[in-house]
Amino acid sequence: TVFCDNAYWQSAIAARPQSAHRGYLLGGLAWFAVPFSLATSLGLCAVALQLPLTAAEASAGLVPPAVATHLFGRTGAVMMTIMLFNAITSTGSAEGLAVSSLVVYDVYKAYINPRATGRQVLLLSQFVLVVFGGSMGALAVGLNVMGLDLDFIYLLMGILIGSAVVPLWNLLMWRQANAFGAVAGAWGGMVLAVTSWLVVATAMYGELNMTTLSKNEPMLAGNIVAIGSSALI
């Protein structure tokens, strides 16, 4: 799903070609410390310490703060809060700018108002940032009210946008790729992925609800169909 994140594409396009590949390689190596330190190290530490975490709490991403609080007390909780705040604000800023750039330069200025002035571009960018930020906040609150955990959201992302991976790759690496094929592969793959997800959940568990849809088998089927079907299309 990172392959479909416009924040990364925007940075790559803006950077000098001779610097882009070095920056991404170094960034990838540096980023490896994040899942290793938070997921592997703190996850194993929680098991070793036998912390009383339920499966629901673990799925909600509460293992790292629980370990940090257990080891360092209130200081650990503060450190984890600061880290999460910096990560969320940095990511939110990058995504907001990416969406704003898409709307302003790839839609508004390309098809609606090619002669847009700098002030018009600035005002529209600010408007998109506010709308996007508010929408993401409302979506986060809605998902939380529905009781969806991080595992469900991450796996669902693969079903919804995983079908765009192969079309994007083809557009970059294949001379014969065309817009119609890319759009058909992305949207068609998503429709087939969602259908497979629902069908497998119904066939294996006899009903459709959040519990059955969260199972590994339906999620796996949807993610595989998303990537595979879009490649075939």
Side-chain angles (χ1 to χ4, degrees):
T1 55
V2 173
F3 201 75
C4 304
D5 191 340
N6 190 58
Y8 292 91
W9 292 105
Q10 187 178 24
S11 300
I13 294 172
R16 292 181 300 173
Q18 60 268 32
S19 303
H21 72 282
R22 297 177 184 174
Y24 274 80
L25 287 174
L26 292 174
L29 292 174
W31 184 86
F32 178 74
V34 175
F36 181 76
S37 61
L38 294 182
T40 306
S41 300
L42 296 181
L44 291 175
C45 186
V47 175
L49 295 172
Q50 293 293 300
L51 296 182
L53 290 168
T54 65
E57 291 171 338
S59 297
L62 296 179
V63 173
V67 174
T69 303
H70 180 83
L71 295 177
F72 303 104
R74 180 174 295 180
T75 302
V78 172
M79 290 191 296
M80 188 61 63
T81 301
I82 294 174
M83 183 197 68
L84 288 175
F85 176 81
N86 290 334
I88 293 170
T89 53
S90 174
T91 304
S93 174
E95 296 302 330
L97 292 175
V99 172
S100 174
S101 297
L102 276 175
V103 173
V104 172
Y105 292 102
D106 293 349
V107 178
Y108 178 73
K109 200 166 184 180
Y111 300 104
I112 299 176
N113 186 8
R115 297 184 179 181
T117 63
R119 178 173 176 78
Q120 290 175 319
V121 169
L122 178 61
L123 290 176
L124 181 59
S125 298
Q126 294 172 338
F127 175 77
V128 173
L129 282 172
V130 173
V131 173
F132 176 76
S135 301
M136 291 303 97
L139 177 62
V141 173
L143 293 174
N144 186 56
V145 171
M146 293 171 62
L148 301 182
D149 56 31
L150 291 176
D151 285 343
F152 183 91
I153 295 171
Y154 280 134
L155 293 174
L156 181 61
M157 284 173 57
I159 295 175
L160 296 180
I161 65 177
S163 57
V165 171
V166 176
L168 282 173
W169 177 263
N170 287 338
L171 288 174
L172 290 173
M173 307 301 294
W174 189 26
R175 291 182 178 274
Q176 296 182 354
N178 59 82
F180 177 80
V183 172
W187 284 101
M190 187 193 72
V191 172
L192 291 174
V194 172
T195 303
S196 302
W197 176 45
L198 299 176
V199 169
V200 171
T202 304
M204 293 191 67
Y205 303 103
E207 57 181 345
L208 280 179
N209 52 50
M210 296 309 302
T211 301
T212 59
L213 291 174
S214 301
K215 296 293 185 180
N216 288 332
E217 292 83 0
M219 285 290 190
L220 177 62
N223 277 268
I224 291 177
V225 171
I227 296 178
S229 62
S230 67
L232 294 175
I233 294 173

